[in-house]
Amino acid sequence: MADKRLGVGFIGGGFIGQFHVRSWVGVRDADIMGIVDINRDTAETAAAMARELGVGEPAIHGSITDMVADPNIDAVWIGTPNFTRIEVMEEITEAVIGGKGELTGICCEKPLGRNVAEAKEMLELARKAELLDGYLEDQLFSTSVQRGKAIIWARGAALTGRPFLARSAEEHSGPHMPWFWEGELQGGGVLNDMMCHSVEVARFLLTEPGAPRESLIPMKVTAHTSCLKWQDPHYVEHLRSISDGKLDYASRPAEDFARGLIEYRDEEGKELIVEVTTSWCFVGAGLRLSMELLGPEYSMSINSLDAGPKVFFSRNVTGEVGEDLVEKQNAEMGLMPIVADEEGEYGYTGENRHMVQSFLAGKRPEENFSDGVNVTELLMTAYMSAEQGRTIEFPPPELDTFIPAVARGQWNPNK
Ligand SMILES: NC(=O)c1ccc[n+]([C@@H]2O[C@H](COP(=O)([O-])OP(=O)(O)OC[C@H]3O[C@@H](n4cnc5c(N)ncnc54)[C@H](O)[C@@H]3O)[C@@H](O)[C@H]2O)c1
């Protein structure tokens, strides 16, 4: 048992901030002691949730600098939109380097940056401020992924050889806030938003337990992107209406479907394949995560919508629209799955426990900003491949300065 508790401050108390607060009931040796959000009501909501769950007594701070200066805060979690990454990180590191406060560690939500230059800047700033850094890729810490990987490697791989193919997908019916849909603000479309998870969890499943990331060498990337649903005039209108006319998917869409194939080699030169697909046009019960791991004499499969209880409501049960059964829920009637422990099943509880334990032990987390940079490099190579319609050798030249056409407002597959 650690003799010190970690005081954690959240930057951003919106959708993901509140997911983290809920996950905290499964996190030991740390309390949520501060929240900053440019929207004070949102900060109040997240703070009230923390108090109600008994996971901290957060102060609401007027600025990031004030929160860093609070002696109750030892580490901060960044959960603000993608387009704020650098400004938020600069304010944190300026406060630390300027001696306004002391921090042990910092965690940042996915994606680490909208492109490789931003992701590398995040890593560089963390190093300058001498902060331990954690990259918040929750899916690696999902209870199903952790248990499935351990058993596959201990039984199947130990006796018959390593796995050679990992498949991974994340799909739902579209993001909840307008900024996610805007290529420039978010960094891309669904490829940037969700393939970051799939690429990393598939790489993790294929990596021998305890082996470093470098034991898998990315060789080539092939990808495809499309806008399958949201350029239809009906949906163009819908997006316009939820964004005060700002989103125009008729002329400035982002991809709502992406697939990718990454060819790796292991240390013995054996070929390994990662196959990923992701979309914002899956109208099923709700968010669906699926993973598969295949080897010579075994396989594993995970489907987050198949893991828990199912309920059935007849057409006479006309309750309110909600997300009480599953994230991104699309219906309240018929046969529906319940994801009973979303925080554990998606990995938030496990990732936050890992980050807290690493910071308390003075160690760099196993999933850190260097991993966030590597993921961004793979995603940007995938955009290059989709734009050029060919397989790209990794790493391609000019990766560090590449910005996808969709993030420059210059991607329109129907023109
Ligand atoms: N791990 C996952 O599966 C997952 C899921 C959802 C979102 N995310 C990531 O989390 C981040 C936030 O997403 P979200 O869904 O919570 O978005 P959101 O828009 O729901 O919430 C963002 C919050 O940040 C606040 N904010 C904006 N700029 C700020 C600033 N400069 N300083 C302080 N607060 C600020 C907003 O007021 C809002 O409350 C994104 O980077 C997203 O990619 C990760």
Side-chain angles (χ1 to χ4, degrees), residues 10 25 30 42 69 95 145 148 172-173 280 290 309 341 352 394:
F10 283 174
V25 290
T42 306
V145 168
H172 61 54
S173 51
W280 283 339
S290 50
D341 173 20
N352 287 328
F394 186 88

Side-chain angles (χ1 to χ4, degrees), residues 229-240 249-250:
K229 170 174 174 176
W230 295 94
Q231 271 204 305
D232 177 281
H234 172 74
Y235 296 107
V236 168
E237 199 40 52
H238 171 76
L239 290 178
R240 205 169 268 143
Y249 263 47

Side-chain angles (χ1 to χ4, degrees), residues 6 8-9 11 64 68 74-79 85 88-93 96 103-109 112 122-123 125-127 129-136 355 359 363-365 367-369:
L6 194 79
V8 171
I11 306 171
I64 294 171
V68 173
D74 305 304
V76 292
W77 263 230
I78 303 177
R85 284 290 183 272
V88 164
M89 188 68 183
E90 278 175 349
E91 187 170 346
I92 297 164
T93 51
V96 171
L103 291 181
T104 305
I106 183 160
C107 285
C108 182
E109 261 303 334
L112 189 60
M122 295 289 285
L123 175 62
L125 287 167
R127 282 190 178 145
E130 297 181 359
L131 295 172
L132 297 172
D133 51 325
Y135 174 56
L136 296 171
M355 299 302 165
F359 292 164
K363 287 198 300 209
R364 192 178 192 206
E367 189 71 9
N368 52 52
F369 282 13

